[in-house]
Amino acid sequence: MKKILFILVLMISACSWRSPNSKFYMMDSAGLSELSAKKMNIAVARVKVPDLLNRAQIVVYDKNSEQVEILEFNRWGEVLPDVLQATIVDDLIAYLPNTYVKRTYFDSSNMDYNINVEINNIKAYKSDKVLMSVWWNVANSAGKVLKRGQKTYEVKAKGDSLADLITAQNEAVHLLSKDIAIDLTK
């Protein structure tokens, strides 16, 4: 009888255990200022990221050991490549308000410019900063590359929380989008 009671208590305990609630994060383009009134049609391709970052879970680094932590219960609202693509599109709309900007997955040959972005790495160091190494190119509708850029952006987190680190990542993407917008207006 004691064994049955013990097993029953274990089963009830197992059923009552819940994992922590997940938190979901997105980036935004609030507060960005117009850079140019130029009119264009722009397509932004899905952003390429390293396999480590191609997930919904947020990835952070320890600044002292370079140890990687994949935060199971802290996630992007979409997989990171889609979050980045949407943010770059929204940023370009803010920086170039007279321009038509869209996300593209397939044919974009009817657009004036096609933007391709590849993230080499995003290192979000807990309670510290974000380093984002990236390259991009701007191609015309025929696929001819007109401009290329490569840069590492460093943004200090304004606090120790994960939300502060996400805000720093968001700011790094704004800086990238601004550089792309400047390339498009030259």
Side-chain angles (χ1 to χ4, degrees):
M1 184 68 174
K2 286 184 180 183
K3 279 186 180 181
I4 293 173
L5 185 60
F6 179 71
I7 292 172
L8 186 60
V9 168
L10 280 177
M11 288 174 49
I12 291 171
S13 297
C15 292
S16 66
W17 181 83
R18 286 185 347 127
S19 64
N21 290 332
S22 293
K23 293 179 184 171
F24 295 90
Y25 295 86
M26 291 296 287
M27 295 185 184
D28 70 39
S29 300
L32 301 180
S33 301
E34 178 181 335
L35 291 176
S36 173
K38 188 174 179 180
K39 293 182 180 184
M40 300 171 273
N41 293 314
I42 301 169
V44 178
R46 190 166 195 254
V47 176
K48 294 178 183 162
V49 299
D51 288 341
L52 174 64
L53 302 174
N54 193 4
R55 62 186 68 243
Q57 296 92 341
I58 294 173
V59 177
V60 295
Y61 286 75
D62 180 274
K63 66 182 175 182
N64 298 317
S65 67
E66 289 292 313
Q67 179 179 348
V68 176
E69 186 177 349
I70 298 171
L71 304 177
E72 185 62 38
F73 300 107
N74 292 284
R75 297 170 172 252
W76 295 109
E78 303 176 82
V79 292
L80 185 58
D82 292 341
V83 171
L84 294 169
Q85 180 188 31
T87 305
I88 292 168
V89 166
D90 291 344
D91 287 1
L92 290 175
I93 290 169
Y95 289 135
L96 309 167
N98 295 323
T99 294
Y100 174 72
V101 185
K102 72 171 196 162
R103 292 165 91 168
T104 185
Y105 300 96
F106 302 107
D107 182 34
S108 58
S109 59
N110 61 339
M111 304 301 278
D112 299 328
Y113 300 101
N114 295 287
I115 310 299
N116 294 293
V117 176
E118 185 170 333
I119 303 291
N120 297 322
N121 208 344
I122 299 175
K123 289 191 174 184
Y125 291 101
K126 293 187 283 187
S127 304
D128 190 21
K129 64 184 173 187
V130 171
L131 291 174
M132 183 174 77
S133 173
V134 60
W135 76 265
W136 67 94
N137 69 46
V138 177
N140 65 14
S141 59
K144 180 181 178 196
V145 174
L146 305 173
K147 298 180 184 191
R148 286 188 170 93
Q150 182 175 1
K151 195 166 185 178
T152 297
Y153 300 93
E154 181 175 339
V155 179
K156 188 88 172 131
K158 291 184 168 83
D160 293 336
S161 72
L162 180 60
D164 293 323
L165 201 56
I166 299 297
T167 300
Q169 284 184 312
N170 199 168
E171 181 60 32
V173 176
H174 293 332
L175 294 170
L176 164 64
S177 300
K178 188 174 188 177
D179 283 344
I180 292 170
I182 290 168
D183 276 353
L184 288 163
T185 58
K186 288 182 181 177

